[in-house]
Amino acid sequence: MHIIAIGLNYRTTPVEIREKFAFQESELPQALQQLRQTKSILECTIISTCNRTEVYVVADQLHTGRYYTKAFLAEWFKMDLDDINPYLNIWENDHAIEHLFRVTAGLDSMILGETQILGQIRDGFLLAQEENATGTIFNQLFKQAVTLAKRAHSETQINDNPVSVSYAAVELGKKIFGDFHEKCVLIVGAGKMSELTAKHLHANGSNTITVINRTESKAEELAERFSGTARPFNELEDALVQADILISSTGAREYVITASMMKSVLKKRKGRPIFMVDIAVPRDLDPALAEFDDVYLYDIDDLEGIVEANLAERKNEAEKISLMIEKDLVDFKQWLATLGVVPLISALRSKALGI
């Protein structure tokens, strides 16, 4: 029995590659079923966020577990295995367990110590559990990872200045505009990232927030929470004409705002600049928008500079959490040893080979 984690993240893979490996939320149940039925895979969980796509598996053998997990990713995203290999990170056994603990606690996030990933790991695990893709090992491991992360955040001061990617987007806007008072803010998308962005904008003085989403009821719900206005998706171009700031975070596969759309919008804006932040993966905004004189376009990778400014204050607290992770790694290995799983599987394999 071996625990393997395979994936890519913002540290080593640019957004234009990451967006090609992003699982749609609606696809995850099918993906989990397909991976669970793959040769050598005994348990599995998939974590897919704007900054990382990672697959965690329990496999009967290391080499086959590695190979078939990578083959699953290549098949799912319709790419050649040789083309994706250079981007994939692989963690095995103790390193995989430690990596999961670090990711869940926010120590591997773009913004050190952020808590959004904790909810994403928990949701990913619960979905895998619901799809019967987990078993004894992952049921214990992921519950322990979530419990450890909650304890790390409550027992240290790593969250004294709570931040996230959405917070970084708002901070970037403040550097350009000074404040958001009397600025017209347009949020495209009504998911968790959009909600966090709206929360930070509202807290920083924005009193004119418009929300657009393909499902209008969700836009209305989010807008009402922050005293904003919801508009139907077919009014996107009109909303862009009025906006000073756009923050986009949808789950769309294609660009939501294209260069041709923006060209039409800019004619009506009469030279007024617009600040656009794309925090979606895959990207919502056509990169060609940056070529327009009055458009100031930033994507999720551009936020890294703001992220860096927060690291120094959090690194000391992160060291404390690293010590907690070391102890939990030992605890998990001791629990694992009590199961007798390793000798049992070894015996079954020997028996199978002898038939």
Side-chain angles (χ1 to χ4, degrees), residues 13-59:
T13 311
V15 65
E16 59 265 24
I17 300 299
R18 295 202 307 274
E19 65 188 4
K20 295 178 180 178
F21 291 90
F23 285 90
Q24 292 286 299
E25 188 174 346
S26 60
E27 298 173 341
L28 282 170
Q30 181 186 346
L32 286 163
Q33 291 296 332
Q34 183 174 319
L35 179 57
R36 176 62 185 86
Q37 292 165 18
T38 298
K39 182 178 179 179
S40 194
I41 306 304
L42 307 176
E43 303 181 32
C44 61
T45 301
I46 297 173
I47 306 299
S48 186
T49 75
C50 59
N51 280 329
R52 71 182 67 245
T53 293
E54 293 181 349
V55 176
Y56 294 82
V57 302
V58 177

Side-chain angles (χ1 to χ4, degrees), residues 71 76 145 159 187-188 201 331 343 350 353:
W76 186 267
N159 276 322
I187 296 176
V188 179
L201 286 165
D331 290 346
S350 297
L353 290 171

Side-chain angles (χ1 to χ4, degrees), residues 157-175:
Q157 296 178 327
I158 198 163
N159 276 322
D160 275 6
N161 298 299
V163 290
S164 65
V165 169
S166 55
Y167 176 89
V170 172
E171 285 297 296
L172 182 58
K174 283 171 66 177
K175 287 185 177 182

Side-chain angles (χ1 to χ4, degrees), residues 48-111:
S48 186
T49 75
C50 59
N51 280 329
R52 71 182 67 245
T53 293
E54 293 181 349
V55 176
Y56 294 82
V57 302
V58 177
D60 57 3
Q61 299 181 65
L62 267 180
H63 67 282
T64 54
R66 279 195 304 264
Y67 174 80
Y68 285 110
T69 301
K70 290 192 292 183
F72 158 76
L73 288 169
E75 180 182 354
W76 186 267
F77 293 109
K78 297 178 174 59
M79 298 183 70
D80 290 334
L81 190 54
D82 289 341
D83 292 336
I84 71 171
N85 264 326
Y87 299 106
L88 295 179
N89 301 300
I90 302 175
W91 300 269
E92 297 170 351
N93 295 322
D94 288 6
H95 296 296
I97 298 166
E98 182 182 5
H99 176 70
L100 174 63
F101 287 168
R102 290 183 63 82
V103 170
T104 312
L107 298 194
D108 197 58
S109 295
M110 182 181 286
I111 298 179

